Amino acid sequence: MSTYSETLRAECRAIALTIAVVLLLFGYLALNDGVNLSFRVMAASAPPSYARDVAPILQKNCIICHSHAAHKSGLVMDSYEALMKGGEHGPSVVPHDAASSRLVAMLEGGAKPRMPLDDDPLPAGDIAIIKDWINAGAAGPGASETAAPIAVPSTPKIPTEVPVSSPVASVRFSPDGSVLAVGGYRDVRMIETASGNVLASLSGHTDYVRAIAFSPDGTRIAAAGGMPQLFGEIKVWDVSSHRLLKRMQGHKDCIYSIAWSPDGKLIASASYDRMVKLWDPDSGKEQRNLQDHIDAVFAVAFSPDGKRLASASQDRTVKIWEVASGKRLYTLSDASDGLTSVAFSPSGDQVAAAGYDKTIYIWQLAGDDGHLIQSLIADEESMLALAWSPDGKTIVTASADGTIRFRNTKLDLMGVIDRQPDWVEALAISPDSKWLAAGRYNGSLSIYDINTHKEMRAATMIFDVPMSSGAQSAVPSGR
């Protein structure tokens, strides 16, 4: 018994010693880390922080559509100040009242469309953080927190292993025919038609310049494109000084076509986002958004009197709009596949279109309706571009089969230029109907005599040509 008692007492002393050591260690940590322990207890009950908790949620789920580069509904969320300012529908955040905040309503689906658009809803935990932050007063970054704008996702620049030339994405003659504007990757080259000399380079565009339009008086040029899946962009330049006058940003995707109204008061734009917009080129403000197409819109054209607008779409239709009211007058739906190009006749009473079904369509237009008067399966592959000459005599098409074809208004074949070195994606006819400019995917440009179909001069790799002495390179400030 004595031995057992001594063993029991020894075990009890060991346990007591262990407990004492643990208590001493805890006391030491409490004394030396008291501030941190206190902070952790306080942090558990503190409201979410904008910089630490809310901004990362916005960056992951919202910034791609709501930044200074792409601000859908006018709402910018890449900084605290912009978020609190709100958008076209007013403030997005009401401090101390998450239930009345539009941001919360759209995240939870109480206001339509639910956000993020076309993506999975935010996790309930993320929404709870945003709500708790708002209910606590929606405070901005603290003095010790960064107030820098949230980074917007960007496409990395990957250098090519060999030199490449930009495709020619668009071409357009000036109203007097003396200048040819050629659009490529982030650049527009102004070329003297007679000599082929490069007069200026209008640089700094976001991506490919897919469409060009001169003002009717020839003093300004609009160049359009934008970033795919993010936004459309139109830049308006002064032709003589090569100075940037206006930058208009809209659409939810890049712009494929623009047209300047005959009176010079409007620019129409067509985008992959299925929308057609009308812009005031003087103020840079959007005037109307024409919504009726159900797929990408690839082409727009004003009637010669400026009263109507035609738009051609991947949805296989041409729609005719009343410019003054923005009302859709009627839809021409004879095509069996998407349409890439549209053009009015110089008289304005007919419109032609072509696209993926290899067919040219010509409709006779009336006040409240239009009917098909000519159609022809005209090429072996998809039509990439169509132009109607200003004198009304010739319709020119370019096809993925490697040809340029010339037809009269009855669609009788008048001539063919075959064996093109690459797809001709851009066509333009000079105002006097003498010359045809053809821009190719491989970056080359040719000018043909529209009657003889002979090249005016050898094809030129337009973005590889050094600018002539005295030519100017215009780059917007800040780039």
Side-chain angles (χ1 to χ4, degrees):
M1 291 293 294
S2 176
T3 302
Y4 174 78
S5 297
E6 290 176 358
T7 301
L8 181 62
R9 283 196 295 271
E11 290 177 350
C12 289
R13 284 196 298 270
I15 292 172
L17 181 61
T18 300
I19 293 173
V21 171
V22 170
L23 290 174
L24 285 171
L25 180 60
F26 182 83
Y28 175 83
L29 291 174
L31 287 172
N32 288 276
D33 198 33
V35 174
N36 289 334
L37 286 172
S38 174
F39 175 78
R40 285 195 289 268
V41 172
M42 290 174 60
S45 59
S49 157
Y50 170 80
R52 184 184 65 248
D53 304 307
V54 176
I57 297 174
L58 302 181
Q59 180 173 20
K60 180 180 178 181
N61 301 281
C62 308
I63 298 305
I64 195 168
C65 296
H66 295 283
S67 69
H68 281 85
H71 42 278
K72 294 183 179 181
S73 299
L75 178 60
V76 176
M77 302 171 72
D78 57 14
S79 70
Y80 172 77
E81 293 76 13
L83 172 64
M84 299 306 291
K85 182 179 179 181
E88 295 174 358
H89 301 286
S92 60
V93 172
V94 180
H96 302 288
D97 191 357
S100 299
S101 297
R102 183 174 177 83
L103 174 62
V104 173
M106 299 195 77
L107 292 175
E108 292 184 327
K112 302 299 182 182
R114 183 169 188 159
M115 294 294 170
L117 187 65
D118 299 328
D119 205 346
D120 295 332
L122 255 63
D126 287 356
I127 297 177
I129 290 173
I130 293 174
K131 291 172 69 173
D132 289 346
W133 171 70
I134 294 174
N135 284 329
S144 62
E145 297 176 314
T146 178
I150 300 172
V152 179
S154 60
T155 303
K157 293 182 179 180
I158 302 174
T160 59
E161 294 184 358
V162 296
V164 295
S165 179
S166 167
V168 174
S170 51
V171 292
R172 190 68 60 201
F173 283 97
S174 62
D176 64 2
S178 63
V179 175
L180 180 66
V182 184
Y185 184 64
R186 297 186 175 182
D187 197 2
V188 175
R189 292 292 173 93
M190 306 286 286
I191 300 170
E192 186 176 47
T193 305
S195 66
N197 292 333
V198 179
L199 303 174
S201 178
L202 310 179
S203 304
H205 297 267
T206 301
D207 199 77
Y208 286 103
V209 177
R210 294 175 171 85
I212 294 172
F214 279 90
S215 62
D217 62 6
T219 62
R220 291 175 290 176
I221 182 173
M227 186 62 69
Q229 298 187 12
L230 288 179
F231 60 88
E233 174 188 72
I234 302 173
K235 288 189 174 183
V236 179
W237 303 80
D238 182 271
V239 170
S240 59
S241 68
H242 314 127
R243 181 170 59 92
L244 181 63
L245 302 176
K246 281 286 183 293
R247 178 178 183 264
M248 291 107 78
Q249 186 171 303
H251 289 289
K252 300 175 183 178
D253 213 317
C254 56
I255 296 170
Y256 277 85
S257 177
I258 56 173
W260 209 309
S261 65
D263 61 7
K265 295 181 179 180
L266 292 171
I267 291 175
S269 60
S271 169
Y272 200 84
D273 69 358
R274 302 173 293 180
M275 304 298 174
V276 176
K277 293 182 183 291
L278 297 178
W279 305 83
D280 180 345
D282 296 323
S283 68
K285 294 182 178 180
E286 180 183 325
Q287 300 298 299
R288 294 188 185 279
N289 188 28
L290 311 182
Q291 306 180 54
D292 201 54
H293 284 291
I294 60 173
D295 211 330
V297 188
F298 289 133
V300 286
F302 280 101
S303 61
D305 61 8
K307 295 181 179 180
R308 290 177 293 182
L309 181 75
S311 57
S313 168
Q314 172 74 24
D315 66 12
R316 303 180 297 177
T317 70
V318 170
K319 295 184 184 292
I320 306 298
W321 310 82
E322 183 179 66
V323 173
S325 66
K327 174 185 176 183
R328 179 183 58 81
L329 298 177
Y330 45 87
T331 298
L332 308 172
S333 54
D334 298 278
S336 61
D337 208 338
L339 296 169
T340 60
S341 304
V342 68
F344 272 95
S345 65
S347 60
D349 60 349
Q350 295 178 359
V351 68
Y356 300 144
D357 63 3
K358 315 169 191 176
T359 303
I360 302 174
Y361 300 90
I362 300 178
W363 292 273
Q364 184 72 39
L365 306 183
D368 56 0
D369 198 3
H371 63 275
L372 187 68
I373 57 172
Q374 297 283 344
S375 67
L376 177 71
I377 299 176
D379 284 279
E380 297 179 6
E381 297 291 344
S382 298
M383 302 274 196
L384 303 177
L386 176 147
W388 201 322
S389 65
D391 63 8
K393 298 179 180 179
T394 309
I395 294 175
V396 184
T397 58
S399 168
D401 67 7
T403 65
I404 298 174
R405 298 179 189 271
F406 301 79
R407 299 180 183 275
N408 60 26
T409 55
K410 299 295 183 182
L411 301 184
D412 300 321
L413 187 63
M414 300 165 60
V416 179
I417 304 173
D418 57 7
R419 296 186 296 278
Q420 291 290 311
D422 208 333
W423 286 353
V424 174
E425 295 192 313
L427 293 175
I429 300 176
S430 62
D432 59 8
S433 299
K434 290 183 178 179
W435 308 109
L436 172 74
R440 304 182 184 89
Y441 187 78
N442 68 353
S444 64
L445 175 79
S446 291
I447 298 180
Y448 297 97
D449 184 303
I450 206 168
N451 294 312
T452 65
H453 313 147
K454 301 294 185 182
E455 274 190 304
M456 179 178 174
R457 55 179 169 268
T460 303
M461 300 298 291
I462 203 66
F463 293 98
D464 293 341
V465 177
M467 292 187 292
S468 57
S469 59
Q472 300 183 30
S473 179
V475 181
S477 61
R479 290 193 65 89

